[in-house]
Amino acid sequence: MKKLCILVLFVTFQIHAQQILSVKEQAVVIDDILEDRFNNLLPELMDRAHLDMWILISREYNEDPVLKTMLPAKWLNARRRTIIVFYRDKENDTIEKLAVARYNFGDNIISAWDKEKQPNQWNRLVEIIEERNPKNIGLNYSTHFNIADGLDKTDYDEFMQVLPKQYKAKVVSAEKLAIGWIETRTEREMIIYNQLVDITHDIIAEAFSEKVITPGITTTSDVEWWMRQKVIDLGLQTWFHPTVDVQRSKEDLKGHLYSFSDRPEEQVIVPGDLVHCDFGITYLRLNTDCQELAYVLKPNETTPPQFLIEALKDGNRVQDIFTANFETGKTGNDILLKSLQEAKAEGLKPSIYTHPLGSYGHSSGPTIGMWDSQGGVAGTGDYPLYPNTVYAIELNTTVNIPEWKRDIRVMLEEAGFYGETGFRYVNGRQTTLLTIPRVKEHQGN
C-alpha cells in the first residue's frame, strides 16, 4: 500500500511537470511570441493609437515596464542605455524595429548604431528621427497608468535637449499604445493562458486537500508557504505572496482592509471553517490571479452545509451579472456602475474590484472598481474595454448566514477573456466548494 501511495504522488507531480516547459523551451516560446507581436500586433496597435513613431528608453536595472516585456528571452535586463525605435509606415504597410544600441536587441530588433561612425548615442537617435520625419513621436509618460509611465526624468530631459526644435511639438504621450501593447493578447498567448490557469487551479486544489491540510494542526500560514514552495519546486514564479484566511461561526465579518494588513498569520484551520485563498503564478511572461473557497468537513459530514452552497451561488450570480456587461467601448466605470446596480436590484450585496491581467498581475487597461472605490475610479476607470484582453474577475458578495449568526463574504477571482465574440473564462470558474478532506467513496457492506 505504501508503494502505491508513493507512486500516486509521483504521478501527480509528473502531470504538473509535463505542463511546464524547461527554461530553454520557454525561451523559444517567448521569442516566437515576441516576433508575432512585433510583426503582426504592433502595427495594428500603432494605427489604432495614431502613432507612427514610438521611442522607448531604458537603462540597465531601471527598465521601462513596457520595454521589460519586450526583452529577448536571454536578456534579463536592459544593457547600458537601451533605446528602441518603432516606425510605422502605414501607407506601405511596413514597420521598422530599430535598437539604438551597440548590438541587436535579440533576433527581432536590429542594431542601428555604429559607435565608431557616430560616437554619440543621442545624436544617432536624432538622425533616425530626421531620416523618417514622423508625424508624431510617442514617449512613455502617463498620469494615471503606472506601467505606461516608464520614461525616467533624466532620459526625458536628455532626449528633449538634443531633439531639434521642429520635432519637439511632435512629442506626445504613447499612453494608449503602451496600454494596448500590455493588455492585448494574441491567439497563441490565449492557448498558453488556458494551460497557465489550469496549473494555478491544480495547485490550489492540492493546497486545499488533506495532502496539505490536517485540521486542528495546519495553520493558514503553513498553507501559504506550501503554495509558495510548490511554485518554486515546479520551476515557476509567483508575483505576490499567497494569502489564506478563514471565516467561521461566532466571528464578526472584518472590513476589506483585513484581507491585506490586519489578518492574523497563524490561524489554525479546524472543521467547519470556510477557507479562502488568493494565489497567482507567473509563467511564459503571463500572470494569473485566482481566489477560491474550500470547506473543512466536520465529522460525519460528506458535503458542505447547504447555506454555504447557496452562498457560493450568490457569488456566481454576481459574476454572471458583471461579465454580461462587458462590451467594447464601455469604460471600466460604465461596467462597474451598471453591474452593481443590477446586482443590488436582485437583492445581492456586491463589491467589484476587477483589474486587467496579463503581462503584469495588476496590469494596464480599464480598472473596473476598487474595493475602496465602488463609485468608480478616476483615470484608469475611464479607459474603454477592448477585445482580446484578459481580466482578473475579482469581486465578492456579502451573504447573511443565520446558522452562524453573522455575515460572510464570498470572495471569488478568476481569469476571464474578452474577445470579438464576447466574454469567457480562460479555464472555467469555481461553482462547487472544494472539501477538506475530499469525499471518498467506500465499498463494502
Side-chain angles (χ1 to χ4, degrees), residues 66-310:
V66 177
L67 185 141
K68 199 168 182 65
T69 69
M70 299 175 172
L71 291 172
K74 293 180 181 178
W75 288 33
L76 303 184
N77 302 93
R79 298 176 181 174
R80 301 184 185 178
R81 175 180 275 118
T82 297
I83 302 175
I84 304 298
V85 179
F86 298 107
Y87 178 66
R88 168 66 171 159
D89 185 339
K90 186 176 181 181
E91 184 176 341
N92 294 308
D93 195 21
T94 60
I95 185 166
E96 288 185 274
K97 305 177 291 294
L98 307 172
V100 188
R102 292 297 302 270
Y103 20 67
N104 293 338
F105 192 81
D107 296 329
N108 293 307
I109 304 176
I110 62 171
S111 172
W113 178 36
D114 184 339
K115 190 173 182 180
E116 282 62 45
K117 292 182 179 179
Q118 172 52 274
N120 188 290
Q121 187 180 23
W122 289 116
N123 288 342
R124 177 57 188 143
L125 175 59
V126 170
E127 290 174 358
I128 290 172
I129 294 170
E130 291 177 328
E131 289 164 4
R132 286 151 186 81
N133 191 27
K135 298 182 181 67
N136 47 38
I137 301 170
L139 299 178
N140 285 355
Y141 57 85
S142 171
T143 300
H144 298 292
F145 293 88
N146 57 318
I147 295 174
D149 192 39
L151 179 62
D152 67 38
K153 186 177 187 302
T154 297
D155 287 332
Y156 175 80
D157 288 346
E158 291 191 20
F159 173 66
M160 294 304 290
Q161 287 172 8
V162 300
L163 188 66
K165 184 178 179 180
Q166 65 269 30
Y167 290 102
K168 292 184 187 294
K170 295 185 176 185
V171 173
V172 298
S173 169
E175 177 185 270
K176 291 181 179 179
L177 177 55
I179 296 170
W181 172 265
I182 290 294
E183 73 171 347
T184 309
R185 304 272 69 84
T186 64
E187 184 176 350
R188 186 175 180 189
E189 284 179 298
M190 287 315 303
I191 295 172
I192 293 169
Y193 227 135
N194 179 66
Q195 299 167 3
L196 192 70
V197 179
D198 187 41
I199 295 169
T200 306
H201 288 160
D202 285 347
I203 295 172
I204 293 174
E206 190 173 2
F208 281 177
S209 75
E210 60 273 24
K211 178 180 176 181
V212 176
I213 296 176
T214 301
I217 296 176
T218 308
T219 68
T220 52
S221 181
D222 291 336
V223 183
E224 291 170 355
W225 282 109
W226 181 91
M227 297 173 92
R228 183 84 176 265
Q229 188 64 52
K230 181 71 173 183
V231 170
I232 299 299
D233 292 345
L234 290 172
L236 300 170
Q237 295 176 313
T238 182
W239 59 278
F240 65 97
H241 185 71
T243 60
V244 175
D245 58 84
V246 300
Q247 297 179 84
R248 53 175 62 126
S249 62
K250 300 180 182 179
E251 287 187 1
D252 294 330
L253 179 63
K254 306 295 184 182
H256 279 89
L257 191 61
Y258 175 83
S259 301
F260 300 98
S261 63
D262 295 332
R263 180 176 46 84
E265 293 186 359
E266 293 291 341
Q267 287 183 288
V268 176
I269 298 170
V270 299
D273 279 350
L274 181 65
V275 189
H276 161 265
C277 72
D278 191 350
F279 172 68
I281 65 173
T282 301
Y283 178 47
L284 293 171
R285 295 191 178 175
L286 295 172
N287 296 273
T288 66
D289 199 356
C290 186
Q291 296 181 45
E292 292 195 359
L293 297 162
Y295 176 73
V296 186
L297 296 170
K298 295 179 180 180
N300 299 321
E301 281 186 324
T302 58
T303 62
Q306 190 61 34
F307 57 81
L308 292 182
I309 294 173
E310 295 301 321

Side-chain angles (χ1 to χ4, degrees), residues 382-430:
D382 297 318
Y383 187 83
L385 189 74
Y386 284 103
N388 302 318
T389 50
V390 175
Y391 301 87
I393 306 301
E394 185 176 11
L395 48 76
N396 76 66
T397 186
T398 300
V399 180
N400 181 258
I401 304 296
E403 293 84 352
W404 283 3
K405 298 180 181 180
R406 57 163 293 189
D407 289 342
I408 66 167
R409 189 175 290 124
V410 179
M411 297 171 281
L412 299 171
E413 187 171 16
E414 290 286 359
F417 173 72
Y418 178 70
E420 299 290 349
T421 58
F423 176 86
R424 67 173 173 83
Y425 286 99
V426 174
N427 183 256
R429 61 169 173 168
Q430 182 177 26

